[in-house]
Amino acid sequence: MLALFARRPCHSRLLSLRYLASEAVSTTTAETSSPAPADEASTSAQLKPATGLVREPAWWRDTTVDATRAYRIIMNRFRVHGSQREENYRQLVSRVKTPHDAGLAFTILDQGRKARAVLQQHTPYTFHTSQMFIEKCVAVKAFDTALEALQRAQEIGLQFFRGDAYFAVMKGAVLNKQLDIAIKVFEAMKENGVRPGGKVVHSLIMGSIINGRRDLAEAYAAEFRYNGVKINKASEEWLEGVRTPDEGKDGLGSPRDADSIGAEALGSDGAPSEEQEKTAAVTSA
């Protein structure tokens, strides 16, 4: 009796085995008939894209962003993140179209200097950024802003290759009847230790004469001779009266007037080579 009883299967155990078998069959059927979870995710993503995953394009790629809006964006980033990449400043400069825009760009360059100082970063702006800013100021006739940039070049960290930037502002000011700006640019040159070349000499002499200040032109000529600065033939002709204000505008920057202030050392795009930048940086330091 005991042996027969021990061989009899337990009814509850049979039920549990049948349940497990049926569960295994249903699971296999479900795996065969339904796609993988990865496929489900890809299908749902195609039908309904997830929100918030697509980033807006960077502001500097948006051609509708003008200088004023770019100024606000960068100023807000100053408050949130501190110092910005120099490329951001150039993007603002490239959008300058009015003297007001030039003032905004100059403010950003000044704020960028302050943000760098907080991080103990005192590397100056590149020649490219500095020259690009001056050229934009001249293009929109923001001579006051350009003058301030030249006067505060060392403070802000702007650097220029020899006297090209000074000449550009001086020439633009003279031709736009702003002789006072040209005079102050020349003073900034002397304060920054930049020796004038033939173009600067010619700009001052001719610019003084066409603006009705022959006495000033003669005073500059005497100063140049005293300090051993060469006065080219074109400038001498203006002093002697061979040339007159009627032919004035073509005189500035024409090939025959140019005893170069370093233009022959510039690259094809008007910017110094990488080797020249390093040499100038070492010299300025």
Side-chain angles (χ1 to χ4, degrees), residues 87-107:
E87 175 60 26
N88 289 350
Y89 309 147
R90 283 198 293 268
Q91 287 294 333
L92 169 54
V93 172
S94 67
R95 289 165 166 78
V96 169
K97 295 182 179 179
T98 66
H100 175 70
D101 294 344
L104 295 179
F106 183 64
T107 301

Side-chain angles (χ1 to χ4, degrees), residues 1-8:
M1 286 292 292
L2 289 175
L4 292 175
F5 182 80
R7 292 195 183 105
R8 290 182 61 187

